[in-house]
Amino acid sequence: MSKKILSLVLVLVMLCSVACTFSSCGGANKDIKAALICLHGDSSTYDKNFIDAFKQACANKGLSEENYTIITDIPEGTECYDKAADFADNGYDVVFADSFGHEAYMIQAAKEFPKVQFCHATGTKAHTEGLANYQNAFASIYEGRYLAGVAAGLKLVELYGDAEGKVSDENAKIGYVGAHPYAEVVSGYTSFYLGAKSVVPNATMEVRYTGSWYDETAEKTTAEALINAGCKLISQHADSMGAPTACENANVPNVAYNGATGKNTFVIASRIDWVPYFEYMLDCVMKGEDIAADWTGTLANGAVKITALGNAAAAGTQEKLDAVAAKLKDGSLKVFDCATFTVNGANLTEYLADVDDAGDFVPETNVIKTENGVTFFDESANRSAPYFDIRIDGITEVKG
C-alpha cells in the first residue's frame, strides 16, 4: 500500500471515529461523571422519586453505573457541601442535590469549583446568583395537584353526594398533612383545594403541619387528628407512608404524593417526573452547552404526572381528568384563576411576591396577570420554585 493510500485510509478512520462520537452510535461524548445527593433514602417517597429518575436518565444517556453515584441521607447542612466538594475533587462533571435546604451549600461548592456544574431542586437563588455553574430546577406540580384535587372532589361526590351531586358542608371537609408552612407547600395545598372545589364548591380544608419533610410517626398522628376532626378525605405534602397508613386503618380516602399508597383507600397521586430534566442536564454537560439557570417542567412537557387511579377512585374520574388536563395544557384553564377564590372575602387584583429571594422575605414582584380576559396568579413564571404563599378563604391552617 502506497503512503498516499495509507494516509487516506488513516484520515477516513479518524473521520469515522469523530462521526461516531456525535452520532447515534455513541451520541455526544459520554465520558462524564454525574452525582445525586439525596436528603433521605428509598424509604422517602420524595427521594425515591429522584433516585429512580436519575438511574433511568443515566441509563437512557448511556452512562454506566461506574459513571454515576447516588448518595443518600445527606442533611441540609455542611455535609452537603462536603459531599459536593468531594465529588468535584474526584472528577465529577455535574452534581445534583434534591432538597431545599441543600441550596446554600451547593452555591458554596459552585463558587469554589467553577468548572463543575451544580444543579439543585426546589431552590430559589440561581436566577439572581449569576453563577454560570449553578442552576435550579422545579416543575409546575400545582397542575398535578389540581388534577388530584379534582379526583378528590369526585370521590366526595361518590361517597356523600345527594341525587343532584351536592355534598353537605359536614361531608365536604378535607384534611391535608403539610411538612412546613413554606410557599412550596402552600402552593401545593391551595392548588389541590381549588381542584376539589371545582367539583364540590362548598369544600373546606384543614391543614396541619408536622414540622418535618419526613417523619412517619408525626405524619400518621397528624392524619389521624384530621380524621378525628371530621375530615372525609386526606391528602399530603410530606414524604412517608404515615398519612396513607392512617387512612388505610380508618378506611378514609387518601390522595398521596409521589406514588401509589394503600390497597383500599388510595385515590390518586401527583408527582414530578425528573427524567426529562436529568436527561436535559446530562445532555448539556456532554455537549458542553449551558444549562438553563432556572428550569421549569410542566404537564405539557411531561415533567408533571399523575399516577394511575387507585381502587378508591370514583367512577368516571379518568374521563374527567383527561378533559381538565387538556385545558391545563392548552392554557385555557388557569389553576390560580383569581375568580375561583377569595382572600378575606375579596378577589385579588394584584399581589407582590418574594420572587428574588435575598433572604429578607421582602416581596418585590407583582405576580397577578390578565390574559384572554382571565386574571390569575402567575405561578412558576418568574422562577421555577413556587412563590404562592397566600392563605385563601376556605382553608384553615393549624401550625405546630
Side-chain angles (χ1 to χ4, degrees):
M1 183 181 293
S2 70
K3 290 183 179 180
K4 191 177 211 179
I5 294 176
L6 179 59
S7 297
L8 181 59
V9 170
L10 289 173
V11 168
L12 289 172
V13 169
M14 290 174 65
L15 288 172
C16 288
S17 177
V18 171
C20 186
T21 301
F22 293 99
S23 71
S24 60
C25 62
N29 177 18
K30 290 183 173 60
D31 189 21
I32 69 165
K33 297 177 73 175
L36 171 64
I37 296 173
C38 296
L39 180 62
H40 299 112
D42 276 351
S43 60
S44 161
T45 57
Y46 175 83
D47 295 275
K48 186 178 188 302
N49 191 45
F50 281 96
I51 292 167
D52 292 346
F54 192 73
K55 289 179 179 178
Q56 184 63 57
C58 287
N60 292 349
K61 291 300 166 185
L63 267 68
S64 66
E65 292 186 6
E66 291 75 26
N67 278 42
Y68 69 86
T69 300
I70 299 170
I71 57 171
T72 60
D73 300 305
I74 305 303
E76 296 172 320
T78 56
E79 296 92 339
C80 178
Y81 164 77
D82 292 339
K83 293 299 182 182
D86 284 345
F87 283 126
D89 280 332
N90 284 284
Y92 281 73
D93 300 278
V94 59
V95 182
F96 184 99
D98 77 350
S99 189
F100 180 79
H102 287 146
E103 180 161 42
Y105 307 98
M106 292 292 283
I107 292 173
Q108 181 183 354
K111 290 178 178 178
E112 186 172 338
F113 299 95
K115 293 184 179 180
V116 178
Q117 296 298 317
F118 295 89
C119 303
H120 176 249
T122 78
T124 61
K125 297 182 181 298
H127 74 291
T128 53
E129 280 290 327
L131 295 172
N133 67 325
Y134 177 70
Q135 299 88 21
N136 289 143
F138 203 60
S140 55
I141 186 60
Y142 58 88
E143 295 176 307
R145 288 196 186 276
Y146 184 91
L147 289 169
V150 171
L154 292 171
K155 184 61 182 178
L156 291 178
V157 171
E158 180 185 67
L159 289 176
Y160 305 109
D162 61 18
E164 296 178 347
K166 295 180 180 179
V167 178
S168 68
D169 291 348
E170 179 184 4
N171 291 322
K173 185 178 181 182
I174 298 167
Y176 199 96
V177 179
H180 297 280
Y182 300 159
E184 180 182 340
V185 178
V186 177
S187 176
Y189 75 56
T190 305
S191 53
F192 170 76
Y193 171 69
L194 290 174
K197 193 171 182 288
S198 72
V199 179
V200 182
N202 60 321
T204 58
M205 190 165 77
E206 182 173 320
V207 179
R208 299 195 182 197
Y209 293 104
T210 64
S212 171
W213 290 115
Y214 182 84
D215 186 329
E216 188 159 3
T217 299
E219 291 163 36
K220 183 172 181 288
T221 58
T222 300
E224 289 170 343
L226 288 165
I227 292 168
N228 291 335
C231 296
K232 304 303 183 183
L233 181 146
I234 303 296
S235 191
Q236 71 184 74
H237 190 156
D239 299 338
S240 83
M241 287 289 293
T245 299
C247 289
E248 196 76 1
N249 292 341
N251 196 32
V252 171
N254 165 57
V255 172
Y257 184 39
N258 283 321
T261 55
K263 180 180 179 181
N264 300 311
T265 59
F266 173 67
V267 176
I268 197 171
S270 58
R271 71 181 185 91
I272 296 174
D273 184 350
W274 284 97
V275 171
Y277 179 75
F278 284 144
E279 290 187 347
Y280 163 74
M281 176 188 79
L282 294 172
D283 272 338
C284 288
V285 175
M286 290 172 179
K287 297 174 183 177
E289 297 176 354
D290 292 337
I291 303 172
D294 201 32
W295 183 92
T296 304
T298 65
L299 190 67
N301 68 22
V304 174
K305 295 285 181 65
I306 51 174
T307 64
L309 296 177
N311 293 331
T317 296
Q318 191 61 60
E319 292 80 3
K320 177 67 172 179
L321 294 182
D322 290 344
V324 175
K327 292 181 179 180
L328 289 171
K329 288 178 181 179
D330 69 21
S332 59
L333 173 62
K334 302 296 185 184
V335 169
F336 297 109
D337 182 343
C338 293
T340 64
F341 65 90
T342 58
V343 180
N344 297 322
N347 296 110
L348 289 180
T349 56
E350 62 178 11
Y351 185 78
L352 294 181
D354 184 17
V355 174
D356 297 334
D357 183 3
D360 53 8
F361 303 104
V362 175
E364 77 296 311
T365 304
N366 182 27
V367 292
I368 303 299
K369 184 177 181 180
T370 299
E371 193 175 89
N372 297 324
V374 177
T375 299
F376 60 99
F377 186 108
D378 200 11
E379 181 76 301
S380 297
N382 294 282
R383 75 172 190 221
S384 61
Y387 40 84
F388 186 103
D389 59 357
I390 305 167
R391 275 61 176 180
I392 72 170
D393 297 333
I395 299 176
T396 302
E397 190 178 56
V398 179
K399 300 179 181 178

